[in-house]
């Protein structure tokens, strides 16, 4: 006979720790309908807090703790479980557990067992109520809405979140539960009408069973609708910015989640899905209306899923928070939707940031959010993220490993350090230090963290700056009082925590400042293919054809010059390039096409740069690389640094900083090394002279024939041939990146250098000749696989490998330089020069037609605009420049209302500036061959339909033809040579106007 155990009498008011220990957690969880099965020392079931197809919810009776190993990653004691499951405060959960523990111990259970509670009665759906009851529910939400607009605090809260828009809030019936619903709105509970009203609200979920308890007290209320537009539920958001004491920031109605926010979004072709209503409302207020939300990362409901499948959007952009839970939930959600054939994209926010936080930090949230949605990264899920039943056998082992075995390395001070995604844990004996928010610090001046010391069940938690000695002393004293550990021990521990945290923060900041780029290793097949390409005798022609295959048409001279300029990063004097054009003319397309062929690890591209940003880059971050900035306006404050970097090949700055150990001020020097190839684009008619003198200026062809070519190519891309051509672009880009990886920075010797001549009429030619010589060197480097690599010894006896320049290199450089230099030695930009020529032609026509003298012809801006097709804004800029240089004279018109222009310019005649070469016959043939290569490809799908010039020629140079730029010849315009150059350039006049060298 088994002796009967003596059952102790339960305490009337057990303490918090006694309550945590005494509750039978397994029985409690089962009482909420969770089916638990025994696995070794633990009990396992499906998590009740997220959609869980396989068991991930673990209860450990020995510790009386639970945690979820699935999506929600929650855990805690019995009190935490009841709070989460019931949606109640800490105080209410404690009272509930105490009541159950006192009322329901029986002789069949231990005193430590709580009898499972009765099954909850589910909430009634809206359609199950009578019309009168539905009217009451509607009126309650109307009352909440009125209360909201009367509450200054509630409106100020939404303003602080950047989402206060009166019309939008009225549309979504946003309200406030201020606690007055029961007392002021409902009839007295003493009458039947009041009792019926309370029963209706309890059944719907707006009131708790406790009389007079309002479910959404002190919460903003966001109604959720069913597919018929009726009220299905509500979401509550507490007014406190920080987590309210004893309450949840988010509050939902009891029972399964029901209803959706902004059902109109499902009618769009694409859908943006957020974690919460606040995030979704942020998108909506900023102009993105096709947005809805789930009930948190674990609250993706079947109702929401079915609605998405029903509408079948072309893409779903998942805008969950950029944190571990948000990222994991995004992947699982994408895996589920991809199985249904719905493409998914991940909207990427900065680390540890959500939609609302991001919108509050940026200057133009509407534009930035829209850009993030458009730039969302497509999610490709190859493996299922759902656990299988086979994982259950190892679940017990994994659980014990997570709970009992610290994962980390032991350092020299005896601490076991575990570094997680969001936190770092230091364990030593019974002491555990947890550091959070370390990586939110943007520098080493401040190390603000959330630090907790846990000893058994006692703990002390505090937010402090580890760099602040007074703050550290305060933590040591508070932690000693809370845990009973000696202050000397905590002080010693804190030194090690500080040291390790400082090192981790430094490593983190270094990675952010410059992420390590993976070194690319070419496969034997890739190396063979790139080498074969570089050995091709038609190398330049193939490069130009590849540009056209990638969609860049009609810009052969510009594309080749840009390509060669990027190769100059292998030299000590690289070129800088400025691409100039009107808005929408294609300057960004030209730059992007050139940069596509540059390996990713050898280029840096930014939209803008601040004045100091260059100085604080890594010392070698830009060395031998291409630095591209989208718009010249984006580097307005950094122009000085860029000029110095281009001229002196390095920049340095000295700043004052405070020594963290001594507190004394000291001077720190930051140096960034070059050389670097600089790429800029601009729409400005006039470019900064200092910057322009250091760069080659490529001017995009804006002729009508070029426009026809581009439009024809765009239409061609929609054909079968165009679609197939697009498929080859990635292969071409990869091939050219591999080609440039193979090019070595060999020394280049020009055996003809002493025979070259260059104009000396202007001071700027001191720089321009360097550009010319660098261009020759770049062409030789491109052909290095076709040249013999020779060796010579320097003064120290070290062998120096080199290649030699050939005549064909000088010939090509001469043609290219002739087009960008010889035709632009004047004070006007190419576009202004072109406009002047067109005005001159128009005046000549009017003089012939009306038999007038040129001085009698007057033109208005309207007439010039209609004749040339130039926009009014740019026309004003051009005319102002022409007026300043006295090419035109502005005369007041009738009554001074209209300005009329008189042309003062006389068309000049003379020879173009040319660069000629060694042997006249050979030179002429090479020049003709190179000009033939640079002619547009005759394919109708990718080139201009006409090669005839469409606009008058540019003004001839101010520089005299002698000495010209010649090699070995006495006369720069020797017989045969200049003629052949001139003839070939006349054939391709459109292309010749595409590029210019800085004035």
């Amino acid at each position: 006979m088994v002796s009967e155990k003596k059952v102790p009498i339960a305490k009337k008011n057990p303490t918090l720790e006694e309550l945590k220990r005494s509750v039978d957690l397994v029985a409690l969880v089962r009482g909420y309908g969770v089916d638990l099965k025994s696995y070794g020392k633990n009990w396992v079931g499906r998590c009740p807090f997220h959609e869980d197809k396989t068991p991930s919810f673990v209860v450990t009776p020995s510790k009386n703790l639970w945690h979820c190993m699935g999506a929600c990653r929650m855990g805690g004691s019995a009190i935490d479980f009841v709070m989460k499951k019931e949606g109640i405060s800490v105080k209410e959960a404690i009272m509930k557990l105490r009541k159950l523990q006192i009322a329901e111990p029986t002789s069949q259970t231990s005193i430590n067992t709580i009898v499972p509670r009765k099954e909850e009665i589910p909430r009634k759906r809206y359609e199950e109520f009578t019309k009168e009851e539905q009217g009451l529910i509607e009126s309650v939400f109307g009352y909440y809405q009125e209360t909201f607009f009367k509450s200054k605090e509630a409106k100020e809260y939404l303003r602080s979140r950047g989402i206060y828009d009166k019309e939008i809030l009225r549309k979504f019936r946003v309200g406030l539960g201020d606690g007055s619903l029961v007392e002021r709105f409902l009839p007295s509970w003493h009458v039947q009408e009041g009792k019926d009203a309370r029963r209706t609200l309890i059944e719907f979920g707006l009131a708790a069973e406790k009389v007079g308890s309002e479910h959404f007290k002190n919460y903003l209320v966001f109604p959720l609708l069913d597919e018929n537009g009726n009220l299905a539920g509500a979401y509550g958001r507490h007014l406190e910015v920080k987590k309210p004491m004893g309450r949840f920031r988010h509050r939902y109605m009891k029972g399964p989640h029901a209803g959706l926010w902004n059902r109109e979004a499902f009618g769009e072709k694409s859908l943006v899905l957020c974690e919460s209503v606040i995030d979704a409302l942020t998108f909506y207020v900023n102009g993105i209306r096709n947005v809805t939300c789930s009930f948190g990362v674990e609250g993706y409901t079947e109702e929401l899923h079915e609605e998405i499948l029903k509408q079948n959007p072309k893409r779903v952009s998942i805008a969950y928070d950029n944190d571990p839970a948000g990222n994991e939930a995004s992947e699982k959600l994408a895996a589920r939707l991809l199985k249904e054939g719905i493409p998914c994209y991940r909207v990427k926010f900065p680390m540890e940031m959500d939609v609302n936080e991001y919108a509050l930090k940026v200057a133009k949230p509407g534009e930035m959010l829209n850009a993030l949605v458009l730039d969302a990264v497509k999610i490709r899920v190859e493996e299922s993220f759902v656990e299988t039943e086979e994982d259950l056998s190892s679940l017990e082992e994994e659980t014990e490993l997570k709970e009992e075995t610290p994962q980390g390395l032991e350092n020299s001070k005896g601490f076991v350090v575990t570094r997680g995604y969001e936190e770092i844990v230091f364990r030593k004996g019974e002491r555990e230090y947890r550091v959070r928010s370390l990586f939110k610090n943007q520098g080493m001046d401040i190390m603000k963290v959330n630090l907790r010391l846990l000893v058994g069940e006692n703990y002390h938690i505090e937010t402090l700056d580890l760099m602040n000695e007074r703050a550290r002393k305060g933590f040591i004293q508070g932690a000693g009082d809370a845990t009973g550990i000696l202050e000397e021990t905590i002080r010693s521990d804190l030194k090690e925590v500080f040291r390790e945290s400082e090192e981790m923060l430094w490593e983190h900041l270094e990675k952010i400042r410059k992420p390590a780029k993976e070194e690319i290793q070419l496969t034997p097949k890739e190396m063979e293919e790139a080498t074969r390409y570089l050995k091709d005798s038609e190398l330049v022609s193939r490069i130009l054809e590849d540009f056209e295959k990638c969609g860049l048409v009609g810009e052969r001279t510009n594309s080749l010059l840009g390509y060669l300029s990027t190769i100059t990063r292998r030299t000590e004097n690289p070129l800088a390039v400025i691409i100039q054009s009107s808005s929408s003319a294609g300057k960004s397309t030209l730059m992007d096409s050139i940069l596509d062929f540059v390996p990713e690890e050898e280029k840096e591209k930014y939209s803008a740069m601040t004045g100091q940003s260059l100085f604080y880059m890594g010392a070698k971050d830009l060395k031998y690389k291409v630095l591209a900035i989208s718009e010249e306006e984006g580097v307005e404050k950094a122009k000085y640094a860029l000029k110095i970097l281009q001229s002196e090949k390095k920049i340095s700055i000295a700043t004052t900083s405070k020594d963290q150990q001594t507190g004394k001020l000291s001077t720190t020097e930051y140096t960034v090394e070059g050389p670097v190839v600089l790429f800029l684009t601009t729409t400005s008619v006039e470019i900064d002279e200092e910057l322009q003198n250091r760069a080659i200026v490529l001017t995009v062809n804006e002729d009508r024939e070029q426009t026809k070519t581009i439009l024809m190519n765009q239409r061609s891309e929609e054909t079968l041939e165009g679609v197939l051509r697009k498929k080859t672009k990635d292969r071409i880009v990869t091939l050219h990146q591999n080609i440039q990886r193979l090019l070595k920075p060999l020394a280049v010797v020009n055996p003809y250098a002493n025979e070259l001549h260059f104009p000396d009429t202007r001071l700027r030619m001191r720089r321009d000749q360097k550009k010319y010589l660098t261009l020759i060197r770049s062409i030789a480097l491109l052909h290095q696989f076709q040249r013999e690599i020779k060796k010579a010894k320097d003064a120290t006896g070290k062998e120096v490998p080199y290649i030699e320049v050939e005549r064909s290199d000088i010939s090509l450089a001469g043609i290219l330089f002739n087009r960008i230099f010889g035709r632009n030695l004047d004070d006007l930009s190419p576009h202004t020069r072109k406009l002047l020529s067109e005005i001159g032609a128009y005046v000549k026509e009017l003089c012939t037609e009306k038999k007038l003298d040129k001085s009698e012809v007057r033109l208005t801006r309207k007439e010039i605009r209609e004749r040339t097709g130039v926009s009014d804004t740019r026309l004003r800029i051009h005319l102002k420049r022409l007026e300043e240089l006295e090419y035109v004279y502005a005369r007041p018109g009738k009554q001074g209302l209209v300005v009329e222009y008189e042309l003062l310019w006389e068309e000049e005649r003379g020879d173009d500036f040319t660069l000629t070469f060694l042997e006249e016959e050979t030179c002429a043939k090479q020049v003709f061959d190179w000009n033939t290569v640079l002619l547009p490809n005759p394919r109708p799908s990718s080139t201009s339909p006409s090669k005839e010039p469409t606009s008058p020629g540019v003004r001839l140079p101010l520089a005299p033809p002698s000495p010209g730029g010649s090699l070995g010849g006495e006369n720069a315009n020797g017989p045969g040579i200049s003629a052949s150059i001139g003839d070939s350039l006349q054939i391709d006049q459109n292309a010749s106007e595409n590029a210019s060298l800085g004035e």
Side-chain angles (χ1 to χ4, degrees):
M1 182 177 177
V2 181
S3 61
E4 186 177 345
K5 292 183 180 180
K6 185 176 180 181
V7 181
I9 300 173
K11 282 188 178 182
K12 186 175 182 181
N13 286 311
T15 65
L16 190 62
E17 294 303 324
E18 289 173 340
L19 194 61
K20 288 181 180 179
R21 291 194 300 268
S22 62
V23 170
D24 187 337
L25 190 55
V26 173
L28 177 68
V29 173
R30 281 178 167 173
Y32 282 92
V34 180
D35 184 20
L36 296 177
K37 295 181 180 179
S38 175
Y39 282 92
K41 299 177 183 178
N42 301 313
W43 293 77
V44 180
R46 289 182 172 84
C47 181
F49 303 125
H50 73 278
E51 293 186 12
D52 197 9
K53 293 185 178 180
T54 57
S56 62
F57 186 84
V58 181
V59 178
T60 306
S62 60
K63 296 186 176 182
N64 226 28
L65 296 173
W66 63 273
H67 73 272
C68 174
M69 299 176 65
C72 64
R73 300 286 179 182
M74 295 183 181
S77 65
I79 298 173
D80 299 305
F81 184 84
V82 174
M83 285 173 62
K84 178 67 178 173
K85 189 64 181 171
E86 298 277 358
I88 58 180
S89 67
V90 175
K91 184 177 179 180
E92 291 171 324
I94 293 172
M95 295 299 293
K96 190 175 186 72
L97 287 172
R98 281 176 175 170
K99 183 178 178 181
L100 287 171
Q101 191 177 30
I102 293 171
E104 304 200 30
T106 68
S107 59
Q108 297 178 354
T109 61
S110 164
I111 189 68
N112 295 331
T113 303
I114 293 181
V115 176
R117 66 181 183 86
K118 295 180 181 179
E119 198 66 34
E120 272 188 350
I121 300 174
R123 284 195 304 114
K124 288 176 65 174
R125 296 194 299 256
Y126 182 86
E127 58 269 20
E128 295 175 348
F129 291 97
T130 64
K131 289 185 178 181
E132 291 77 11
E133 292 170 336
Q134 290 176 357
L136 172 65
I137 295 170
E138 295 282 353
S139 65
V140 168
F141 280 95
Y143 178 76
Y144 279 157
Q145 193 171 7
E146 291 177 9
T147 306
F148 168 76
F149 283 104
K150 292 178 182 178
S151 171
K152 183 178 179 181
E153 181 187 3
K155 291 188 286 187
E156 190 59 38
Y157 171 78
L158 291 187
R159 285 193 183 96
S160 70
R161 305 301 295 269
I163 52 177
Y164 183 81
D165 185 304
K166 193 172 182 179
E167 296 302 319
I168 292 175
L169 296 176
R170 285 194 182 279
K171 175 181 178 179
F172 289 108
R173 302 172 65 182
V174 177
L176 171 67
D178 65 349
S180 64
L181 176 70
V182 176
E183 296 296 330
R184 297 182 186 176
F185 183 75
L186 297 181
S188 172
W189 66 276
H190 294 290
V191 299
Q192 187 61 39
E193 184 182 0
K195 293 177 180 178
D196 292 341
R198 285 165 175 75
R199 175 186 52 78
T200 300
L201 297 185
I202 290 171
E203 291 176 347
F204 187 71
L206 288 175
E209 294 182 12
K210 182 181 176 183
V211 177
S213 177
E214 186 178 340
H215 186 67
F216 287 112
K217 183 178 179 181
N218 294 326
Y219 282 83
L220 288 170
V221 182
F222 297 86
L224 306 174
L225 307 180
D226 62 17
E227 58 184 351
N228 298 318
N230 296 322
L231 292 164
Y235 160 74
R237 175 75 182 199
H238 203 279
L239 285 177
E240 292 185 26
V241 177
K242 297 182 179 180
K243 186 174 180 180
M245 292 296 295
R247 291 186 177 274
F248 287 101
R249 186 177 295 141
H250 311 279
R251 186 152 220 183
Y252 304 100
M253 299 176 76
K254 292 183 179 181
H257 296 310
L260 301 176
W261 187 83
N262 188 26
R263 281 187 169 270
E264 294 177 359
F266 296 95
E268 302 291 335
K269 294 181 180 179
S270 62
L271 182 69
V272 179
L273 182 62
C274 302
E275 274 190 32
S276 69
V277 174
I278 295 294
D279 288 345
L281 189 57
T282 303
F283 272 117
Y284 198 95
V285 168
N286 285 288
I288 300 171
R289 305 301 166 87
N290 57 325
V291 61
T292 189
C293 61
S294 58
F295 295 84
V297 290
E298 73 272 14
Y300 181 75
T301 62
E302 285 300 323
E303 181 182 10
L304 176 56
H305 185 67
E306 289 172 5
E307 189 66 27
I308 292 175
L309 296 184
K310 178 181 175 182
Q311 301 298 333
N312 193 27
K314 292 185 177 180
R315 63 182 274 169
V316 173
S317 300
I318 304 173
Y320 283 5
D321 299 355
N322 188 7
D323 57 21
N327 292 330
E328 185 175 356
S330 298
E331 290 174 345
K332 290 190 176 182
L333 174 56
R336 185 174 181 184
L337 291 176
L338 286 171
K339 289 180 181 178
E340 306 289 351
I342 298 176
C344 293
Y345 293 77
R346 182 71 167 106
V347 180
K348 289 287 189 180
F349 299 103
M351 191 66 68
E352 300 294 330
M353 196 172 286
D354 61 25
V355 179
N356 189 257
E357 287 177 307
Y358 178 77
L360 291 174
K361 286 183 179 292
V362 296
K364 297 180 179 179
E367 294 179 12
M368 299 301 291
L369 288 174
N370 191 56
L372 284 181
V373 173
L374 292 176
D375 295 338
V377 181
K378 191 169 186 179
I379 301 176
R380 293 178 175 86
V381 181
E382 298 178 356
E383 300 178 358
S384 174
F385 290 92
V386 180
E387 297 173 358
T388 63
E389 293 292 338
E390 297 174 359
D391 298 329
L392 292 178
S393 59
S394 61
L395 194 55
E396 175 191 354
E397 181 181 349
E398 183 179 348
T399 302
E400 292 181 355
L401 189 65
K402 281 180 178 266
E403 291 186 350
E404 299 175 6
T405 307
Q407 298 295 305
L409 298 174
E410 185 172 332
N411 65 11
S412 58
K413 300 294 183 179
F415 275 95
V416 176
V417 183
T418 306
R419 182 171 178 175
Y421 187 77
E422 293 180 310
E423 62 185 29
I424 307 143
V425 177
F426 301 82
R427 293 185 181 90
K428 188 174 184 180
E430 62 175 353
R431 304 187 300 280
E432 177 185 287
Y433 296 85
R434 184 195 68 194
V435 179
R436 285 181 176 173
S437 302
L438 175 66
F439 301 125
K440 291 183 179 180
N441 293 287
Q442 301 299 310
M444 298 300 296
D445 294 338
I446 296 176
M447 281 180 60
K448 193 173 183 179
V449 298
N450 179 269
L451 181 61
R452 185 195 70 182
L453 169 59
L454 178 66
V455 181
E457 295 182 354
N458 299 317
Y459 68 91
H460 176 72
I461 187 168
E462 187 177 326
T463 299
L464 71 155
D465 178 10
L466 288 177
M467 290 289 189
N468 189 311
E469 185 177 359
R470 182 177 296 178
R472 294 198 301 269
K473 287 181 179 178
F475 177 85
I476 292 169
Q477 184 177 358
D481 293 341
T483 62
I485 302 296
L486 292 175
E487 291 186 9
E488 285 299 323
T489 303
I490 299 174
R491 183 177 293 105
S492 176
D493 291 348
L494 201 56
K495 288 179 181 179
E496 187 63 20
V497 170
F498 174 74
R499 187 187 65 80
E500 291 276 357
S501 299
E502 187 181 32
E503 290 179 3
M504 291 181 188
L505 179 59
W506 174 261
E507 292 174 5
H508 172 75
L509 293 175
E510 282 296 302
K511 288 180 181 178
I512 291 178
R513 189 177 295 116
K514 194 64 187 176
K517 292 189 176 179
E518 183 180 353
E519 185 177 350
I520 305 298
Q521 295 290 339
L522 300 186
T523 64
K525 182 178 179 181
E526 290 174 333
M527 191 171 295
E528 181 186 356
E529 185 182 14
T531 304
R532 188 167 58 249
Y533 193 106
L534 286 166
K535 290 182 177 180
D536 194 326
S537 59
E538 302 294 329
L539 176 59
V540 173
S541 297
R542 288 191 64 181
I543 291 172
L544 294 174
E545 288 172 4
D546 285 346
F547 272 118
E548 290 172 350
K549 288 177 183 177
C550 291
L552 184 65
V553 294
E555 296 284 0
R556 284 200 156 199
T557 301
N558 283 345
S559 58
L560 182 57
L561 268 168
Y563 189 92
L564 292 171
S565 297
T566 63
I567 293 176
T568 61
R569 70 184 185 277
R570 300 277 193 247
T571 69
E572 291 300 323
N573 294 291
L575 297 173
V577 178
I578 299 176
I579 301 177
Q580 182 186 44
S581 77
S582 304
S583 180
S584 304
K587 60 186 181 304
S588 297
T589 300
L590 175 59
M591 184 172 77
D592 291 342
S593 299
I594 294 169
L595 293 179
D596 281 345
F597 286 4
V598 179
E600 294 297 329
E601 68 274 12
E602 296 186 40
K603 63 187 175 186
E604 302 290 342
K605 185 176 179 182
Y606 301 101
S607 301
M609 299 191 79
T610 63
Q612 302 293 310
S613 56
L614 270 175
F615 294 101
Y616 294 103
M617 286 186 166
K620 298 184 183 297
D621 285 352
L622 296 179
K623 194 168 187 177
Y624 302 127
K625 289 187 179 182
V626 178
L627 173 62
I629 297 98
S630 297
E631 291 287 347
E632 185 198 10
E633 292 80 358
V635 293
E636 191 65 35
K637 295 181 179 179
K639 279 183 180 179
Y640 173 76
L642 290 172
K643 294 172 190 175
I644 300 302
L645 182 61
Q646 191 66 23
S647 298
E648 301 182 7
K649 311 300 181 291
K650 73 172 185 177
I651 54 174
S652 59
I653 189 173
T655 63
T656 304
S657 60
K658 189 175 183 179
D659 191 295
Q660 296 297 331
Q661 302 297 326
T662 64
K664 295 182 179 180
L665 296 177
S666 60
T667 300
T668 305
E669 182 179 354
Y670 296 90
T671 301
V672 178
E673 298 181 14
V676 61
V677 175
L678 180 64
F679 261 79
L680 295 173
T681 64
T682 183
T683 56
S684 300
V685 174
E686 301 298 331
I687 304 172
D688 178 77
E689 186 175 358
E690 285 295 315
L691 189 60
Q692 191 175 9
N693 286 340
R694 292 169 167 83
I696 289 177
V697 179
L698 305 182
T699 308
V700 174
N701 189 354
E702 298 182 11
D703 290 343
R704 184 177 178 183
E705 293 302 319
Q706 173 68 358
T707 303
K708 288 181 180 179
T709 302
I710 293 172
L711 297 179
M712 186 180 295
N713 187 68
Q714 289 173 352
R715 293 192 293 269
S716 173
E717 287 179 352
E718 301 300 317
T719 64
L720 177 59
E721 180 186 355
V723 171
L724 295 176
R725 193 162 58 243
K726 283 181 184 177
K727 299 292 184 182
T728 64
K729 180 178 178 180
D730 290 342
R731 183 184 62 79
I732 293 172
V733 168
T734 302
L735 173 60
H736 276 276
Q737 290 182 353
N738 291 338
I739 287 170
Q740 295 205 19
R741 290 185 180 108
L742 288 184
L743 294 178
K744 299 177 182 178
L746 298 173
V748 178
V749 174
N750 188 344
Y752 310 105
N754 291 329
E755 301 176 56
L756 289 172
H757 296 282
F758 202 82
D760 54 8
T761 55
R762 293 192 178 191
L763 195 62
R764 56 164 282 183
M765 292 180 180
R766 298 181 183 183
R767 277 190 177 138
D768 291 336
Q769 179 175 262
K770 280 190 175 182
K771 299 172 190 173
Y772 174 53
L773 297 174
T774 300
L775 187 61
I776 295 174
R777 195 181 306 125
S778 175
I779 297 170
L781 280 174
L782 179 62
H783 290 85
Q784 63 181 252
F785 278 75
Q786 301 177 28
R787 309 284 164 86
E788 178 187 356
I789 299 179
K790 301 180 180 181
K791 293 183 179 179
K793 292 185 178 180
D794 60 13
T796 63
K798 182 180 179 181
E799 285 192 344
V800 178
Y802 70 93
I803 58 174
E804 290 187 346
V805 169
E806 295 187 356
R807 294 171 180 170
S808 60
D809 302 338
I810 300 175
S811 177
L812 177 57
I815 293 297
L816 295 174
F817 214 71
N818 193 49
R819 294 184 176 187
I820 63 173
F821 182 78
R823 293 178 179 268
N824 293 279
L825 282 175
D826 64 277
D827 298 318
L828 297 178
S829 68
H831 292 134
T832 307
R833 172 63 62 187
K834 178 184 172 184
L835 176 71
L836 180 60
S837 299
E838 292 183 353
I839 293 174
Y842 185 36
V843 169
K844 189 180 293 185
E845 289 179 15
L846 292 176
C847 290
T848 304
E849 181 183 336
K850 298 183 179 181
K851 298 181 179 179
L852 298 172
D853 186 71
K854 188 181 74 169
S855 62
E856 297 175 317
V857 178
R858 304 285 188 274
L859 299 176
T860 64
R861 276 200 308 273
K862 181 180 179 183
E863 291 174 311
I864 299 173
R865 188 168 60 247
E866 291 175 349
R867 169 75 178 192
T868 62
V870 179
S871 68
D872 185 65
T873 302
R874 296 188 71 82
L875 181 60
R876 288 174 184 268
I877 298 173
H878 291 311
L879 289 174
K880 183 179 179 182
R881 181 64 174 164
L882 293 174
E883 185 182 350
E884 288 173 350
L885 295 177
E886 298 182 352
Y887 287 107
V888 298
Y889 179 64
R891 297 179 179 275
K894 298 176 182 180
Q895 299 179 355
L897 298 178
V898 179
V899 177
E900 296 179 334
Y901 294 90
E902 176 187 344
L903 181 66
L904 304 179
W905 174 63
E906 294 289 344
E907 188 173 0
E908 300 177 13
R909 296 291 178 185
D911 294 327
D912 286 350
F913 171 83
T914 57
L915 295 169
T916 55
F917 311 102
L918 189 64
E919 299 174 6
E920 293 180 1
E921 293 182 4
T922 305
C923 166
K925 182 180 184 305
Q926 289 178 349
V927 169
F928 179 80
D929 289 345
W930 283 127
N931 276 294
T932 303
V933 168
L934 293 172
L935 283 175
N937 193 319
R939 288 187 312 174
S941 62
S942 60
T943 60
S944 172
S946 173
K947 299 173 188 173
E948 296 301 322
T950 59
S951 60
V954 296
R955 178 190 176 195
L956 299 175
L958 300 177
S962 180
S966 62
L967 178 61
E970 293 181 3
N971 188 349
N973 298 312
I977 302 174
S978 296
S980 63
I981 295 176
D983 292 342
S984 62
L985 289 176
Q986 181 64 31
I987 293 173
D988 189 27
Q989 184 158 347
N990 284 342
S992 70
E993 296 176 1
N994 292 353
S996 67
L997 190 69
E999 300 178 32

